[in-house]
Amino acid sequence: MRYTILAAVLALALTVCGCDAEPRAGTLQRDVDAIAALGTTGVQARVVGVGTDRTAVSGHSDAVALYEVSPEGYFRIGSLTKTMVATVVLMLVGEGRLSLDDSVQHWLPDMVRGNGNDGAGITVRQLLQHTSGIHESPPEMTTAEDYYRLRYQARDPFDTVASAMRHAPDFAPGAGWSYSNVGYVLLGLIIEQVGNRPWHDEISARILEPLGLRDTRWPGDAPTLPDPHANGYQQFEADGPLIDVTELVDADASVGYLSTTADIGTFYRSLLGGKLLRPEELAQMRTTVPVDGVTGLVWPGASYGLGLFAVPLTCGGTYWMHNGGQTGFLTNAGVTDDGGRSAVVSLSATLAVGADVTQSKGFAQLRMVNELVDHALCEK
């Protein structure tokens, strides 16, 4: 029910607010307008740093009524959830309740086995870093018909893992890199074993409540979004129609949360600013391995730590980010190395990738979002 980080990845009503000089606000507005012009139904972006808090929107929140996009709108954050899960895991590591070198077998006996899979040889670190080799469960929602059939069905995490176990590993643990939602579903189950309560309760108690993130919510089995929100639209095939996919049940530990650009920016600035993890665990999170495949084409020079991408800035240095692609929504959150400035952009339509990935509108969407984040973080 979700898209992997690359699977589906912008009309001109607009507003801008903030306290920066007009040229900077103008750059942000031009970037969101360009994303909307590609065919994305709605776009909202927020840049926050010392002396600046500005937003820009473009497009519409509803393809029929053509309402204006709200800069405070809720959206499905998709895989940005992974950074929160990784943060909780590292908090447990810092408390001595869990080790990055613990095996999956130690915490989830006999769950990862069969067809060459062996949880005894896969570590918590490898799950966090997408180096476990576990084969990703095949996507369930690849057509509009799939969406209408599956949108209200909650997926059991044990079923998700079992589906992956029907396939041989993609590579031996630690011998490669491949983005894995299943790995984070397993991490959610491990958090529950260590903490003796649901993984999302740990996120609430350890991250959301201390940071005052009242607009970040785990939806459970509820298929709707709070107001205000933009409707989400999915293009299932190249040149096909945009299908309204706003209602959806999909809330596991790989993609589960709803949030706003303000809350997401606060979370990432707090994390990289050292407010959530001890220096030792934050250093582990920032220890990266190279990425490859289409991911490397979308983010040239990128590498992956524990729940975070490191991406080169065109102005020099590195920023930290995660992308979240979930049916109908695409989000990027980037933050400077010191946590001083964040840029969050949310799109309420995901365009099709198609057979020729790099020539598709979905690929162009991702690259234009990356340019917006780069521009926002490079501004002086």
Side-chain angles (χ1 to χ4, degrees):
M1 295 183 187
R2 80 292 315 279
Y3 284 73
T4 62
I5 200 162
L6 299 167
V9 129
L10 243 137
L12 296 173
L14 55 111
T15 62
V16 177
C17 64
C19 55
D20 266 22
E22 178 61 28
R24 294 181 181 179
T27 299
L28 185 63
Q29 188 64 58
R30 285 194 298 272
D31 285 343
V32 298
D33 286 343
I35 297 170
L38 187 64
T40 302
T41 309
V43 188
Q44 58 166 311
R46 183 182 299 269
V47 179
V48 178
V50 177
T52 184
D53 183 348
R54 63 189 189 278
T55 63
V57 302
S58 193
H60 302 97
S61 65
D62 186 312
V64 177
L66 302 183
Y67 295 126
E68 186 176 84
V69 175
S70 169
E72 313 298 331
Y74 290 87
F75 49 88
R76 303 185 191 281
I77 73 171
S79 286
L80 274 65
T81 301
K82 291 181 173 68
T83 312
M84 296 182 181
V85 168
T87 300
V88 169
V89 169
L90 286 164
M91 287 176 169
L92 294 169
V93 169
E95 295 165 7
R97 302 172 65 187
L98 179 66
S99 169
L100 291 173
D101 295 323
D102 284 348
S103 71
V104 176
Q105 175 71 11
H106 174 78
W107 291 105
L108 304 172
D110 298 329
M111 184 174 293
V112 176
R113 65 176 181 174
N115 294 310
N117 296 284
D118 183 5
I122 299 172
T123 66
V124 170
R125 184 194 303 274
Q126 289 165 344
L127 293 180
L128 288 166
Q129 202 153 40
H130 301 300
T131 59
S132 70
I134 294 173
H135 185 79
E136 180 66 4
S137 291
E140 291 184 324
M141 199 173 287
T142 59
T143 67
E145 291 73 20
D146 290 340
Y147 166 73
Y148 292 123
R149 177 170 53 90
L150 298 170
R151 57 181 166 170
Y152 300 133
Q153 295 184 19
R155 281 221 310 187
D156 185 287
F158 298 98
D159 291 341
T160 299
V161 175
S163 177
M165 294 302 103
R166 299 186 187 107
H167 301 266
D170 292 340
F171 48 80
W177 187 90
S178 182
Y179 192 83
S180 174
N181 288 302
V182 178
Y184 274 75
V185 171
L186 286 164
L187 287 165
L189 294 171
I190 290 172
I191 288 171
E192 293 180 358
Q193 289 295 309
V194 178
N196 199 32
R197 59 177 173 176
W199 63 271
H200 47 87
D201 285 352
E202 290 285 347
I203 286 179
S204 180
R206 292 172 174 272
I207 298 174
L208 307 186
E209 292 172 11
L211 295 181
L213 304 183
R214 298 179 181 84
D215 291 324
T216 303
R217 307 175 185 183
W218 183 72
D221 292 343
T224 56
L225 289 164
D227 288 325
H229 70 266
N231 287 2
Y233 296 88
Q234 180 70 45
Q235 186 181 46
F236 287 98
E237 55 187 24
D239 300 320
L242 284 169
I243 304 299
D244 188 329
V245 293
T246 308
E247 294 196 352
L248 181 68
V249 175
D250 193 13
D252 68 23
S254 72
V255 296
Y257 273 90
L258 318 176
S259 192
T260 63
T261 57
D263 268 18
I264 291 298
T266 298
F267 166 62
Y268 280 95
R269 292 193 310 276
S270 299
L271 176 61
L272 273 297
K275 296 180 180 178
L276 291 171
L277 294 175
R278 301 188 316 166
E280 295 88 340
E281 281 70 55
L282 185 56
Q284 292 281 0
M285 177 175 263
R286 291 159 53 113
T287 301
T288 65
V289 297
V291 304
D292 54 22
V294 180
T295 306
L297 297 176
V298 177
W299 294 283
S303 56
Y304 199 87
L306 307 184
L308 278 176
F309 284 94
V311 182
L313 282 166
T314 58
C315 54
T318 297
Y319 75 95
W320 298 88
M321 62 81 64
H322 216 290
N323 164 278
Q326 192 173 13
T327 307
F329 293 91
L330 176 66
T331 306
N332 266 33
V335 61
T336 52
D337 191 62
D338 63 355
R341 177 183 290 227
S342 64
V344 183
V345 55
S346 175
L347 283 56
S348 55
T350 52
L351 303 179
V353 174
D356 190 349
V357 173
T358 61
Q359 299 303 310
S360 68
K361 286 188 176 182
F363 186 86
Q365 240 185 346
L366 286 165
R367 294 306 302 269
M368 294 172 78
V369 168
N370 299 343
E371 290 175 3
L372 182 154
V373 173
D374 184 85
H375 293 162
L377 298 182
C378 277
E379 288 173 346
K380 301 297 183 181

